[in-house]
Each structure stands twice: as structure tokens, then as C-alpha cells.
Amino acid sequence: MAKIVTSCYANHVGDPYWGQMSRDLWYPASLRSICGFGCPVVCYTDAGDRGYDQLTAFKEKNNLSNLTVKVYVLEDSPWFNRVLSIRRSDPEEYNDPDKLHRYHRSSVIYWSKFVFLHKEADMGQNVFWIDCGLSHSGLFPGSMRSYDLEGVQN
């Protein structure tokens, strides 16, 4: 059987993570779509009220029995310090909110995908990464999704 791995780090805007704003709006709904494949889904997130609490409540509310929510502290990533050093070495390039292609892209989260996949790899099982933001409304219009941004069925 296949396993899908993803992550949902919704509360990481600006230094030291530089994550995308508004992830908390579309990522849970996207996660529900991913769980719709029916195979086991593992989602990595922050501890407590920065991710885990919200996702476990979302799991219960939507009866996502195939979803396992796991905590991974981004500062534990083997690339965290290097990414931080590079980003802070050239603030005009990396830390300007007007440069969307740099500022709202979290290299720490991107590189941590390899850690997540490695942790979930099992011999004889196909493991796939599907980005938790894949079904964002900026990528797929509402007519192509079965939910709105709040995760409510249309």
C-alpha cells in the first residue's frame, strides 16, 4: 500500500522561517482532499497551538481516520542554521516582502521534506510527497475543488 507524506506549517511568516501567509486557510482543506485518496497520510507540523492542536481537531471534525499528525520542530532540521545564515547574509535579496519569490518561500520547510520522507520510508511500501498546499485556490479554481477556503463542502 502507498503512503502519502506532507507537512502543514501554517504559522511561519517572516524571520526565521519566511513562510507563506494564509496557509492556515487553505492547507487543512487541501489536507482533507489528500486524505480522500484513502491511503495512510502522515502530516508533519509544529507542536501545540502552532499546528498540532488545530490539525488533530480538524482530523476529528472531518473523520480523517487515515491521517496521522506528527510533530517536527523546524529548528531540528539539519539545514536550519545554514538556511538562516544564507538568508540573513543578504537581507536585500531574501528578506524583502516585496520579493515574493524569495520572502514567502520557506527553504527550511522545503528542505525538511527530505527528512519527513526519510522518516516515513518503509521497505516494500511506496511513499509519496504531496504538498499540503497543492489544492490552493490560486492553483485550482473553486469549480475544480469540492470545498471552499474554510474547508466546508460546496
Side-chain angles (χ1 to χ4, degrees):
M1 175 174 273
K3 180 194 298 185
I4 297 172
V5 181
T6 193
S7 68
C8 182
Y9 288 89
N11 300 297
H12 293 293
V13 177
D15 190 333
Y17 307 104
W18 295 278
Q20 181 67 269
M21 295 170 36
S22 303
R23 282 187 173 132
D24 57 325
L25 293 176
W26 72 77
Y27 273 37
S30 181
L31 182 59
R32 187 175 69 193
S33 291
I34 293 168
C35 289
F37 286 114
C39 62
V41 176
V42 177
C43 182
Y44 284 87
T45 192
D46 290 303
D49 66 355
R50 285 185 55 96
Y52 184 82
D53 295 347
Q54 289 85 350
L55 289 180
T56 53
F58 186 80
K59 172 185 175 174
E60 296 304 315
K61 178 182 176 186
N62 290 277
N63 298 315
L64 304 176
S65 60
N66 60 326
L67 174 62
T68 301
V69 181
K70 294 186 178 181
V71 171
Y72 183 83
V73 178
L74 290 174
E75 288 85 349
D76 292 342
S77 168
W79 300 283
F80 182 79
N81 289 328
R82 181 171 172 132
V83 167
L84 195 62
S85 173
I86 291 169
R87 289 196 76 118
R88 289 182 175 167
S89 71
D90 190 354
E92 293 79 24
E93 180 63 26
Y94 293 106
N95 300 336
D96 181 351
D98 293 328
K99 293 185 178 181
L100 298 178
H101 68 288
R102 296 259 195 228
Y103 186 78
H104 294 294
R105 302 294 184 248
S106 179
S107 301
V108 172
I109 295 172
Y110 292 163
W111 281 96
S112 295
K113 294 174 184 180
F114 296 106
V115 173
F116 306 148
L117 286 167
H118 180 75
K119 287 177 168 286
E120 298 303 323
D122 292 323
M123 293 302 294
Q125 184 178 38
N126 294 317
V127 179
F128 301 95
W129 178 269
I130 298 182
D131 197 276
C132 196
L134 184 63
S135 61
H136 173 269
S137 61
L139 299 172
F140 299 98
S143 62
M144 302 302 292
R145 294 177 282 119
S146 62
Y147 57 85
D148 64 18
L149 285 180
E150 299 298 322
V152 178
Q153 290 289 331
N154 287 335

